[in-house]
Amino acid sequence: MTSLKIAIQKSGRLNEKSVELLKNCGLQFENYKSSLISTVYNFPLEILFLRDDDIPEYVQDGIADLGIVGENVIHETQVDVHYLQRLGFGKCMLKIAIPNQSHLNDIQDLNGKAIATSYPVILKKYLNEKGVSATIRTISGSVEISPSLGLSDAICDIVSTGGTLRSNGLKPFADVLSSEAVLIGKNGIGSHDIVIELMQRIQSVLRAKETKYVVLNVERSNLDCIINLLPGVKSPTVVPLAEENWVAVHTAIEEHDFWEKINQLKAVGAQGIIVMPVEKIIL
Ligand code: PRP
Ligand code: ZN
């Protein structure tokens, strides 16, 4: 089978998680930092390591069939690609930020000011919507130092932990666009066998991430209460224990209401609760 090519970020916020996701999908490959391309040994895929900003165009032009990239970059490059899957990592916000000592209060105060950014397309659209007329200074990197160099009054850049802003004496001013990592494909590739297989694997990994495997002990007389608390599960596994009248219940609990569920289970007599990570869920 001829292999497909997937482009991922060479270094930066999304690199590590992109590699981790592909490895969790069972793909075996060397993650050479120095090379541009890596062949997957056990799946018909080649991995291209690229600058994130270049990935959407590579996919649009068909040089790569697939790509993992932040939505921010897709919006900025205005390419024609297919969104195949949200990936749940690389969550961040494109923000306008100003120096800590700045006296700007309102978005309208940006009128006549200069804003440095690597995202001129998104920023221009945002300012137009707000009816603000500011000078956009496009720079390709290290945007956060431009106010201290006197190059701009504000910046518009990606904020994830906020560490970069803090260490450069900047504070958030306005939210422009939220973003996360997505899997994109060139037009028409979504129905390709290899893509369907890869997406099934990705979905099983993502589903598993949201789920914990829980084993608990309960007195048989409380079993109904426990089962009623687990409506998502058709029938949890119930195993008798050596001690008469006690059983162990095995079930899956979703991450989002995990602690609430655990507390409810404890309240109706669950004991010795063991929680385990789930690697994959195949439906
Ligand atoms: C963004 C941004 C900052 C950093 C912010 O870079 O330019 O450098 O992330 O993250 P923090 O709030 O956690 O400190 P990105 O990963 O998009 O890489 P690039 O700008 O080099 O493409
Ligand atoms: Zn970038």
Side-chain angles (χ1 to χ4, degrees), residues 1-8 19 22-23 26-49 194:
M1 208 189 302
T2 11
S3 49
L4 297 185
K5 293 190 181 69
I6 185 167
I8 68 171
V19 168
L22 295 177
K23 296 218 158 156
L27 309 190
Q28 292 170 356
F29 55 95
E30 305 294 339
N31 182 23
Y32 292 127
K33 286 272 169 197
S34 53
S35 72
L36 190 73
I37 189 158
S38 202
T39 302
V40 177
Y41 308 132
N42 59 350
F43 194 78
L45 199 64
E46 283 183 302
I47 302 173
L48 306 181
F49 297 94
I194 297 174

Side-chain angles (χ1 to χ4, degrees), residues 27 98 106 201 206 221 227:
L27 309 190
I98 55 175
D106 184 84
R201 293 193 191 188
L206 295 180
S221 56
I227 290 175

Side-chain angles (χ1 to χ4, degrees), residues 13 52-53 157-164:
R13 278 180 313 119
D52 63 344
D53 312 61
D157 199 11
I158 292 298
V159 179
S160 169
T161 61
T164 306

Side-chain angles (χ1 to χ4, degrees), residues 73-269:
V73 178
I74 302 173
H75 285 293
E76 183 62 29
T77 46
Q78 298 177 298
V79 290
D80 179 22
V81 293
H82 257 60
Y83 270 65
L84 295 172
Q85 173 82 54
R86 303 180 81 81
L87 299 174
F89 64 85
K91 291 194 176 148
C92 62
M93 181 71 83
L94 186 65
K95 289 187 192 233
I96 296 176
I98 55 175
N100 287 332
Q101 70 281 6
S102 170
H103 294 300
L104 302 179
N105 284 313
D106 184 84
I107 195 78
Q108 297 300 327
D109 295 343
L110 289 170
N111 271 301
K113 298 286 192 283
I115 309 172
T117 189
S118 311
Y119 298 91
V121 172
I122 301 173
L123 178 58
K124 188 169 178 213
K125 186 160 167 264
Y126 175 82
L127 294 175
N128 282 345
E129 278 165 14
K130 298 283 174 192
V132 171
S133 161
T135 305
I136 298 175
R137 293 202 198 290
T138 304
I139 43 182
S140 60
S142 302
V143 170
E144 57 277 357
I145 59 166
S146 85
S148 62
L149 296 177
L151 283 171
S152 69
D153 305 288
I155 66 161
C156 175
D157 199 11
I158 292 298
V159 179
S160 169
T161 61
T164 306
L165 287 192
R166 270 194 302 280
S167 58
N168 286 281
L170 300 166
K171 60 184 177 185
F173 186 65
D175 289 352
V176 176
L177 178 92
S178 71
S179 169
E180 73 176 86
V182 291
L183 177 72
I184 55 169
K186 69 177 184 191
N187 283 327
I189 203 73
S191 55
H192 195 291
D193 287 353
I194 297 174
V195 177
I196 291 170
E197 170 70 21
L198 181 66
M199 282 178 63
Q200 275 170 3
R201 293 193 191 188
I202 289 176
Q203 281 156 18
S204 80
V205 171
L206 295 180
R207 247 183 255 123
K209 238 189 207 153
E210 289 161 11
T211 309
K212 300 280 177 235
Y213 192 78
V214 176
V215 178
L216 57 87
N217 296 335
V218 67
E219 235 172 324
R220 205 175 270 282
S221 56
N222 289 330
L223 185 58
D224 282 349
C225 299
I226 296 278
I227 290 175
N228 283 337
L229 281 173
L230 306 169
V233 189
K234 245 186 249 153
S235 97
T237 310
V238 178
V239 187
L241 294 183
E243 193 171 331
E244 220 183 322
N245 297 324
W246 280 79
V247 291
V249 177
H250 292 227
T251 188
I253 292 186
E254 286 199 17
E255 182 81 66
H256 65 90
D257 61 352
F258 177 76
W259 285 109
E260 205 187 319
K261 266 276 135 59
I262 291 290
N263 288 333
Q264 289 170 351
L265 291 167
K266 275 165 70 181
V268 293

